[in-house]
C-alpha cells in the first residue's frame, strides 16, 4: 500500500521508477538467495568411485549419482534386495538398493546410481539407465570407458 | 558443401528437397517484398508478400506430404525414413515418426509456421502494420525453412539403399499420446510467432496504439491453449509410459516448454491492462519478445544436447544455429524496444496497487520470477560444468519445489483477487466486503481438511485457496445471473471473454488440487508376486498374480502380467522393441478413479513366467489434472467466441478504434 501522493494527479507525467526498481531488486535478491543457498545444497553431482574417495568430505551425505561398472551382483527377486559393488577400476564401493532390476542388470555392465553414501555403503534410491540420445541402447562398456576417460 | 540432392538415388527425396529449396527461395523473395512494402509503403509489394506466404505454405506442405508418403511407403531411399522408420512398424507409428526425430520435428515446426503465416496473411488488416508483420513472419520462416532445407534436411541422399530402416525411437512407440503431444506443443510454440510478428511491426512503425494488442490477444490465447494442452499431454504421456507414476520431473525440456507458458500467461493478463487502460506498453512488447525467444531457447536446449535430459537429441550442427537465431531474436527485440522507448511511455499513471490491473501486474511479476527461477535451475548444471568442470550435475526437484509451491500459491491468491477488483482503483471498504465470503470459504474448507488429517502446509494452502477461488468465481457469476433472471448460459453468450476466463480459472484450481494431492500423498511400494501363491497385502490392497504371457509382434515383444488387485483385473506389460535391444519400456495398467488412481507397473519378469516383480503406486486426485486441463482449454475456447448480444437490451455501440 502506498500513501496517496500529495501532488495533484494530472501533474505527474514522469512514471515513478520506484515500483519497477523495487521489483527488480526483489527479483535479484530472491535469485541470489536461492542460487547461493538452496541451489548449492540441492545440486546432485555425478561422481566416479575414485572421485568420491578423493573428495569424501565434500560429498558424504549429499545426494549423488555415482557411475561405474557393476561387480559381484547379489539379487533376490523374491525380497527385491539388490547388493552389488560399483567400481571404476580405481576404487570400489558397495551399493544397496531395494527394488526390482531387469535382466539387463549384469556383471561388468555400466551403471549410474542415484542415492547417497552412508558410511562406506551407497544407499541407492534409483538405478539410472543411461540411454544414448536416440534411446538406442548404449554400448555401455564403451560409453562408460568414455565417461571414465573424461574424468581422469 | 552439403550434398543436398540427388535424382538418381531417390525420386521422392529429390522432390521433397526441391520443394524445400523452392520454399526457401520464395521465403527470401517474400522477405524482400515485405521489406519493400514496408520501406516504400508500396501496397503492391505488400500484396505480393502476402501471396508469397501462400506459396511458401503450399511448398512446405508438399515437402511434409512427401516425407509422410515416403514414411508410409517405406521408401528407404529417403534418409530420414531409413534412419527413423522400418517396414514392420504399425501405420500410426510410421505417421508419428514424422516428428519422432530431429529433422522431421523441425520440418513439422516449419510447416506449422508456414501455416500460421498463411492464416495471418488472411486476417491482416490493410494498415501500416501489414508489411512489417509479414516481414517478421518471413524472418522466422527464413530461419526455419533454411535449417530445414540445409543443415537439418530429412531428404539428403544416402550413400547406399538399406534393405530396412533402422526403426523408430522405441520410447515413441509406446503410447498414442506421442501422436498428439509434439503436434500440440509446436502449435503452441509456433503460435507465439504471430504476436511476436505483430509486436515487431508495431515497434517498427511506431504505431504502438492498442490495435495490435487487441489482435494479438486472440492469437496468444490460441497458442496458449495449445501450449497448456501440450504440456499436460506430455505429463500424461510420462505418467502412462515411463512407469514411475509421476507426470512432471522438472526435466530440462519440460522446463523449456514451461517457461514460454509462464511468459505467455503473464502476457495474456498484462495485455488486458493495455487494452483497457493503455498502460504497460513497453512491458507487453518485452514480454512477447521474451516469450517467443524462450520457445526458441527451449528448442535449442532440446536439440543441442547442452543439458542432460530424456528429450535431448544429438542435433549435430543444429544447436549453434538455434543459438544464433535466439541471439538474433533477442537483439532484434531489445534493439527495437530500446529504439522506440520514447514512444513506449505510458501516458497515464502506473496502475494503482489495489485495482484489477494492480493484481494483474503483481501476478505478472510472480510469473516472471517463476520463469527466471525455472530458467536458472535448467541452465545451472551447464554453468557448473563450464565453471567447475563437473559433468552431469543435476538440480533436483527439491530446488524447484522450494519456489514453485509458494509462487503457485501466490498466483492462486491473486487469481481469486483479480476478478473481484474493479479497473482503475478499488476502495478498501468494498474490497473487504467482497473478500470476506471468499476468505471465510477458504478458512472453513482448510479447517475441515485439517480436521480430516491433511497436515502438509502446501496442500492446506492449496485447498484453502481453491475454495476461496471457487467461492469468488461462483459469487460473481451468481450475482450477474441474478440480475439477468438466472440465465447463466445467456451470460456466457453475452460475455464469453469474462466467463471463459472464469472457466479457465476454475480449471486451473482443479488442476492445482490434483497437483497438490498427488504430489503430497502419493504412495509407492514394490513386491514380487508368484503365480499361484497366496495374495500379498500392499498399500491396503490385495495383489495376486494370475499368470503371465508373451505377445510377440514383428516390431517387438510384450511380456504381460495379469494381476488381481482387490479382485479387479489389471494387465500390465513390459514392452521390448526391436531397435531397443534389451531395454524394456513398461506399459503400466492404470485404473483411473475420481479420487485416485491405482497404477501397476511390472518391473521384472521371471523368464519361465513363475513370478513377476511389480510396483504399485496409489496417487490421489491425479485425474483432476487432466480434467482440469480440459476445463482450462474449454474456457480458453469460450473466450475466443464472439459475444452475442441479448435481444432484450439496447446494444451498446462500441466505436472501432483508429489504427494509428
Amino acid at each position: 500500500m502506498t500513501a496517496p501522493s500529495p501532488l495533484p494527479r494530472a501533474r505527474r507525467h514522469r512514471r515513478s521508477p520506484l515500483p519497477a526498481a523495487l521489483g527488480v531488486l526483489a527479483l535479484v535478491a530472491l535469485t541470489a538467495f536461492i542460487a547461493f543457498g538452496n541451489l548449492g545444497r540441492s545440486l546432485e553431482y555425478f561422481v566416479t568411485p575414485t572421485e568420491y574417495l578423493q573428495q569424501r568430505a565434500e560429498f558424504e551425505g549429499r545426494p549423488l549419482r555415482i557411475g561405474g561398472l557393476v561387480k559381484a551382483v547379489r539379487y533376490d527377486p523374491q525380497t527385491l534386495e539388490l547388493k552389488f559393488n560399483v567400481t571404476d577400476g580405481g576404487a570400489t564401493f558397495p551399493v544397496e538398493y531395494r527394488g526390482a532390476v531387469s535382466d539387463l542388470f549384469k556383471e561388468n555392465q555400466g551403471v549410474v546410481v542415484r542415492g547417497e553414501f552412508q558410511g562406506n555403503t551407497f544407499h541407492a534410491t534409483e538405478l539410472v539407465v543411461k540411454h544414448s540420445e536416440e534411446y538406442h541402447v548404449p554400448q555401455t562398456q564403451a560409453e562408460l570407458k568414455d565417461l571414465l576417460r573424461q574424468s581422469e | 558443401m552439403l550434398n543436398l540432392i540427388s535424382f538418381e538415388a531417390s525420386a521422392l527425396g529429390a522432390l521433397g528437397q526441391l520443394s524445400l529449396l523452392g520454399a526457401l527461395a520464395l521465403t527470401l523473395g517474400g522477405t524482400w517484398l515485405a521489406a519493400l512494402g514496408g520501406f516504400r509503403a508500396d501496397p503492391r509489394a505488400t500484396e505480393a508478400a502476402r501471396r508469397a506466404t501462400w506459396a511458401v505454405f503450399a511448398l512446405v506442405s508438399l515437402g511434409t506430404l512427401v516425407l509422410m508418403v515416403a514414411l508410409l511407403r517405406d521408401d528407404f531411399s529417403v534418409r530420414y525414413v531409413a534412419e527413423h522408420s522400418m517396414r514392420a512398424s504399425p501405420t500410426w507409428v510410421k505417421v508419428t515418426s514424422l516428428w519422432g526425430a530431429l529433422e522431421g520435428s523441425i520440418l513439422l515446426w516449419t510447416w506449422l509456421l508456414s501455416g500460421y503465416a498463411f492464416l495471418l496473411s488472411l486476417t491482416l488488416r490493410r494498415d501500416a502494420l501489414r508489411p512489417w508483420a509479414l516481414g517478421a513472419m518471413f524472418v522466422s520462416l527464413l530461419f526455419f525453412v533454411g535449417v530445414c532445407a540445409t543443415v537439418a534436411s530429412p531428404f539428403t541422399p544416402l550413400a547406399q539403399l538399406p534393405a530396412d530402416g533402422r526403426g523408430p525411437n522405441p520410447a515413441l512407440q509406446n503410447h498414442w499420446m506421442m501422436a498428439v503431444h509434439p503436434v500440440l506443443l509446436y502449435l503452441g510454440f509456433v503460435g507465439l510467432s504471430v504476436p511476436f510478428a505483430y509486436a515487431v511491426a508495431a515497434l517498427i512503425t511506431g504505431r504502438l496504439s492498442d490495435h495490435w494488442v487487441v489482435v494479438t490477444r486472440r492469437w496468444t490465447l490460441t497458442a496458449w491453449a495449445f501450449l497448456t494442452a501440450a504440456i499436460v499431454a506430455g505429463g500424461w504421456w510420462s505418467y502412462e509410459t515411463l512407469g514411475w507414476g509421476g507426470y512432471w520431473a522438472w526435466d530440462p525440456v519440460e522446463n523449456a516448454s514451461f517457461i514460454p507458458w509462464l511468459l505467455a500467461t503473464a502476457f495474456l493478463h498484462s495485455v488486458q491492462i493495455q487494452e483497457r487502460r493503455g498502460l504497460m506498453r513497453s512491458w507487453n512488447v518485452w514480454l512477447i519478445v521474451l516469450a517467443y525467444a524462450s520457445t526458441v531457447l527451449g528448442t535449442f536446449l532440446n536439440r543441442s544436447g547442452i543439458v542432460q535430459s530424456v528429450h535431448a537429441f544429438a542435433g549435430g550442427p543444429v544447436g549453434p544455429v538455434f543459438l544464433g537465431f535466439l541471439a538474433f531474436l533477442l537483439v532484434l527485440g531489445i534493439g527495437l524496444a530500446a529504439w522506440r522507448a520514447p514512444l513506449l511511455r505510458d501516458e497515464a499513471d502506473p496502475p494503482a496497487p489495489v485495482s484489477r490491473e494492480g493484481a494483474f501486474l503483481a501476478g505478472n511479476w510472480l510469473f516472471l520470477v517463476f520463469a527466471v527461477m525455472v530458467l536458472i535451475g535448467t541452465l545451472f548444471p551447464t554453468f557448473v560444468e563450464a565453471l567447475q568442470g563437473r559433468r552431469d550435475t543435476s538440480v533436483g526437484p527439491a530446488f524447484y519445489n522450494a519456489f514453485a509451491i509458494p509462487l503457485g500459491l501466490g498466483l492462486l491468491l491473486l487469481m481469486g483477487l483479480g476478478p473481484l477488483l474493479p479497473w482503475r482503483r478499488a476502495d478498501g471498504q468494498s474490497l473487504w466486503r467482497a473478500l470476506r465470503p471468499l476468505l471465510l470459504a477458504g478458512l472453513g474448507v482448510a479447517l475441515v481438511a485439517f480436521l480430516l488429517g491433511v497436515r502438509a502446509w502446501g496442500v492446506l494452502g492449496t485447498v484453502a485457496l481453491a475454495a476461496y477461488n471457487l467461492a469468488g468465481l461462483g459469487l460473481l457469476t451468481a450475482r450477474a445471473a441474478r440480475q439477468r433472471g438466472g440465465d447463466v448460459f445467456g451470460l456466457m453468450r453475452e460475455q464469453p471473454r469474462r466467463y471463459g476466463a472464469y472457466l479457465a480459472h476454475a480449471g486451473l484450481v482443479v488442476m492445482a488440487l490434483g497437483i497438490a494431492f498427488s504430489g503430497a500423498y502419493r504412495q509407492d511400494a514394490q513386491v514380487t508376486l508368484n503365480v499361484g501363491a497366496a495374495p500379498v497385502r500392499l498399500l491396503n490392497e490385495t495383489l495376486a498374480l494370475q499368470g503371465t504371457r508373451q505377445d510377440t509382434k514383428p516390431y517387438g515383444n510384450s511380456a504381460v502380467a495379469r494381476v488381481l488387485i482387490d479382485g479387479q483385473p489389471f494387465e500390465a506389460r513390459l514392452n521390448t522393441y526391436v531397435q531397443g535391444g534389451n531395454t524394456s519400456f513398461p506399459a503400466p495398467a492404470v485404473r483411473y478413479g475420481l479420487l485416485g488412481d491405482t497404477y501397476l507397473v511390472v518391473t521384472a519378469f521371471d523368464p519361465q513366467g513363475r513370478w513377476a516383480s511389480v510396483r504399485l503406486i496409489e496417487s490421489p486426485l491425479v485425474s483432476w489434472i487432466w480434467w482440469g486441463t480440459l476445463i482450462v482449454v474449454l474456457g480458453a475456447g469460450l473466450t475466443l467466441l464472439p459475444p452475442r448480444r441479448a435481444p432484450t437490451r439496447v446494444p451498446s455501440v462500441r466505436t472501432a478504434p483508429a489504427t494509428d
Side-chain angles (χ1 to χ4, degrees):
Chain A
M1 292 291 149
T2 52
S5 147
L7 290 170
R9 293 178 57 87
R11 290 260 293 282
R12 279 196 301 159
H13 283 301
R14 289 293 311 276
R15 255 178 59 176
S16 156
L18 195 64
L22 278 178
V24 172
L25 205 68
L27 203 66
V28 171
L30 182 75
T31 314
F33 169 74
I34 290 182
F36 296 113
N38 180 5
L39 194 55
R41 278 197 304 280
S42 60
L43 271 186
E44 183 188 67
Y45 287 117
F46 175 90
V47 294
T48 60
T50 306
E51 280 173 347
Y52 180 73
L53 200 62
Q54 287 161 351
Q55 298 164 296
R56 193 166 195 148
E58 191 186 339
F59 292 127
E60 192 150 20
R62 285 191 55 139
L64 289 178
R65 271 168 307 145
I66 191 162
L69 291 181
V70 174
K71 297 282 183 195
V73 183
R74 298 177 300 289
Y75 174 59
D76 179 355
Q78 290 298 326
T79 61
L80 300 175
E81 272 168 13
L82 171 73
K83 291 189 168 81
F84 64 94
N85 291 338
V86 64
T87 182
D88 57 359
T92 306
F93 287 101
V95 178
E96 286 181 7
Y97 174 72
R98 193 182 173 282
V101 289
S102 63
D103 39 4
L104 275 186
F105 200 84
K106 294 192 179 80
E107 202 77 6
N108 289 327
Q109 195 214 306
V111 72
V112 176
V113 203
R114 174 172 276 149
E116 60 180 45
F117 272 101
Q118 287 165 9
N120 255 343
T121 309
F122 191 80
H123 287 262
T125 53
E126 194 186 343
L127 305 177
V128 186
V129 183
K130 287 283 280 187
H131 285 296
S132 70
E133 64 281 351
E134 295 265 334
Y135 303 93
H136 292 295
V137 169
Q139 299 296 311
T140 39
Q141 277 278 20
E143 197 183 55
L144 189 80
K145 283 210 179 95
D146 193 36
L147 269 178
L148 302 179
R149 206 175 38 247
Q150 287 171 10
S151 69
E152 277 161 7
Chain B
M1 184 62 207
L2 285 159
N3 176 16
L4 284 179
I5 199 158
S6 156
F7 288 94
E8 298 83 59
S10 167
L12 267 182
L15 177 63
Q17 187 63 45
L18 272 180
S19 61
L20 289 182
L21 288 170
L24 182 58
L26 278 162
T27 307
L28 277 166
T31 314
W32 182 74
L33 284 166
L36 207 65
F39 283 117
R40 299 251 178 94
D42 179 350
R44 279 177 317 170
T46 308
E47 186 58 32
R50 203 169 79 96
R51 302 272 166 100
T53 61
W54 306 356
V56 171
F57 179 49
L59 279 172
V60 179
S61 300
L62 176 65
T64 313
L65 187 71
V66 165
L67 190 57
M68 186 60 92
V69 168
L71 280 164
L72 291 173
R73 285 182 39 192
D74 297 323
D75 183 340
F76 299 118
S77 67
V78 176
R79 172 182 294 275
Y80 186 81
V81 181
E83 283 173 358
H84 304 290
S85 183
M86 65 180 181
R87 288 180 206 283
S89 290
T91 305
W92 76 269
V93 172
K94 287 180 185 171
V95 172
T96 57
S97 296
L98 183 69
W99 51 83
L102 176 78
E103 296 87 355
S105 63
I106 292 181
L107 180 61
L108 175 72
W109 182 303
T110 311
W111 181 61
L112 291 173
L113 183 63
S114 65
Y116 271 114
F118 170 68
L119 284 177
L120 176 67
S121 79
L122 298 181
T123 58
L124 274 169
R125 298 203 307 193
R126 292 174 167 276
D127 57 17
L129 294 181
R130 193 161 76 139
W132 296 112
L134 283 170
M137 275 313 260
F138 269 121
V139 169
S140 286
L141 266 173
L142 195 57
F143 171 75
F144 280 102
V145 177
V147 169
C148 225
T150 58
V151 289
S153 169
F155 298 114
T156 45
L158 282 164
Q160 67 215 67
L161 188 71
D164 194 0
R166 266 198 257 161
N169 181 334
L172 306 183
Q173 301 177 52
N174 218 20
H175 197 275
W176 60 269
M177 207 64 201
M178 266 302 118
V180 182
H181 160 68
V183 180
L184 285 175
L185 187 70
Y186 285 2
L187 276 167
F189 271 9
V190 178
L192 288 176
S193 64
V194 178
F196 173 78
Y198 266 109
V200 168
L203 281 170
I204 290 178
T205 53
R207 291 175 190 236
L208 290 152
S209 71
D210 306 329
H211 161 67
W212 78 271
V213 165
V214 177
V215 182
T216 299
R217 195 188 64 87
R218 302 179 70 84
W219 286 99
T220 314
L221 199 59
T222 311
W224 178 87
F226 280 128
L227 195 55
T228 309
I231 292 172
V232 177
W236 194 45
W237 172 82
S238 171
Y239 184 72
E240 285 235 319
T241 65
L242 298 181
W244 60 301
Y247 42 82
W248 189 260
W250 297 106
D251 178 273
V253 177
E254 288 171 353
N255 296 348
S257 66
F258 189 44
I259 293 169
W261 185 87
L262 288 166
L263 295 175
T265 314
F267 181 75
L268 278 180
H269 291 86
S270 65
V271 97
Q272 295 181 50
I273 304 179
Q274 185 170 346
E275 208 178 341
R276 299 293 300 259
R277 301 279 331 272
L279 301 172
M280 318 279 292
R281 292 176 171 185
S282 60
W283 179 282
N284 285 329
V285 169
W286 285 101
L287 208 49
I288 197 63
V289 168
L290 287 178
Y292 185 51
S294 70
T295 65
V296 177
L297 173 75
T299 313
F300 162 68
L301 289 178
N302 195 339
R303 298 299 185 225
S304 66
I306 192 170
V307 286
Q308 291 290 323
S309 153
V310 289
H311 295 73
F313 298 105
V318 173
V321 176
F322 267 92
L323 191 60
F325 185 56
L326 174 70
F328 167 78
L329 284 181
L330 287 173
V331 168
L332 177 80
I334 292 166
L336 282 173
W339 171 54
R340 288 300 193 184
L343 288 174
L344 288 169
R345 278 231 181 84
D346 294 337
E347 282 113 48
D349 291 337
V354 187
S355 65
R356 186 173 301 178
E357 56 268 41
F360 280 4
L361 184 55
N364 256 262
W365 274 111
L366 288 190
F367 279 122
L368 213 55
V369 172
F370 208 144
V372 169
M373 294 305 304
V374 174
L375 185 67
I376 289 174
T378 308
L379 293 179
F380 203 77
T382 311
F383 292 142
V384 168
E385 185 168 349
L387 297 172
Q388 301 185 8
R390 295 204 146 279
R391 305 166 318 280
D392 276 2
T393 309
S394 66
V395 177
F399 162 75
Y400 293 99
N401 292 337
F403 66 82
I405 294 171
L407 283 173
L409 291 176
L411 285 167
L412 278 176
L413 185 72
L414 289 168
M415 190 167 106
L417 204 55
L420 287 185
L421 292 165
W423 292 99
R424 285 179 192 283
R425 119 181 336 249
D427 66 277
Q429 220 155 14
S430 62
L431 173 66
W432 173 237
R433 251 206 316 280
L435 259 180
R436 220 165 19 191
L438 276 65
L439 294 173
L440 282 173
L443 285 173
V445 172
L447 189 67
V448 171
F450 186 80
L451 292 176
L452 289 175
V454 176
R455 292 290 181 275
W457 66 269
V459 180
L460 278 175
T462 312
V463 168
L465 287 168
Y468 144 102
N469 263 294
L470 294 176
L473 297 174
L475 283 173
L476 284 167
T477 313
R479 195 172 307 142
R482 235 196 342 266
Q483 287 170 351
R484 292 205 26 145
D487 179 10
V488 177
F489 287 100
L491 268 186
M492 285 190 176
R493 276 211 302 274
E494 258 180 68
Q495 293 174 303
R497 261 185 75 172
R498 167 174 300 178
Y499 292 100
Y502 285 8
L503 197 60
H505 280 189
L508 278 164
V509 168
V510 172
M511 277 174 84
L513 285 169
I515 292 166
F517 276 89
S518 63
Y521 296 112
R522 172 176 179 269
Q523 291 177 291
D524 180 345
Q526 299 195 40
V527 74
T528 296
L529 300 170
N530 295 291
V531 177
V536 178
R537 290 291 285 170
L538 197 67
L539 303 182
N540 298 323
E541 312 250 26
T542 19
L543 277 68
L545 181 64
Q546 289 188 292
T548 61
R549 67 164 194 275
Q550 298 279 343
D551 288 349
T552 310
K553 300 246 168 51
Y555 52 87
N557 179 2
S558 278
V560 187
R562 291 196 311 284
V563 180
L564 276 184
I565 301 182
D566 279 350
Q568 292 186 310
F570 278 71
E571 280 207 349
R573 294 194 308 274
L574 210 52
N575 300 330
T576 46
Y577 293 98
V578 177
Q579 351 27 54
N582 293 327
T583 311
S584 43
F585 294 84
V590 189
R591 199 169 285 280
Y592 289 96
L594 186 62
L595 293 179
D597 294 357
T598 302
Y599 184 106
L600 183 81
V601 194
V602 185
T603 46
F605 259 97
D606 174 34
Q608 282 85 42
R610 286 165 309 181
W611 53 262
S613 301
V614 297
R615 181 177 183 185
L616 180 69
I617 298 166
E618 300 269 348
S619 326
L621 306 198
V622 181
S623 319
W624 289 39
I625 301 171
W626 329 133
W627 290 113
T629 309
L630 189 67
I631 299 170
V632 170
V633 173
L634 282 175
L638 184 60
T639 59
L640 291 170
L641 293 178
R644 206 180 305 170
R645 293 215 181 82
T648 49
R649 294 195 312 186
V650 182
S652 58
V653 180
R654 279 194 57 190
T655 40
T659 59
D660 49 359

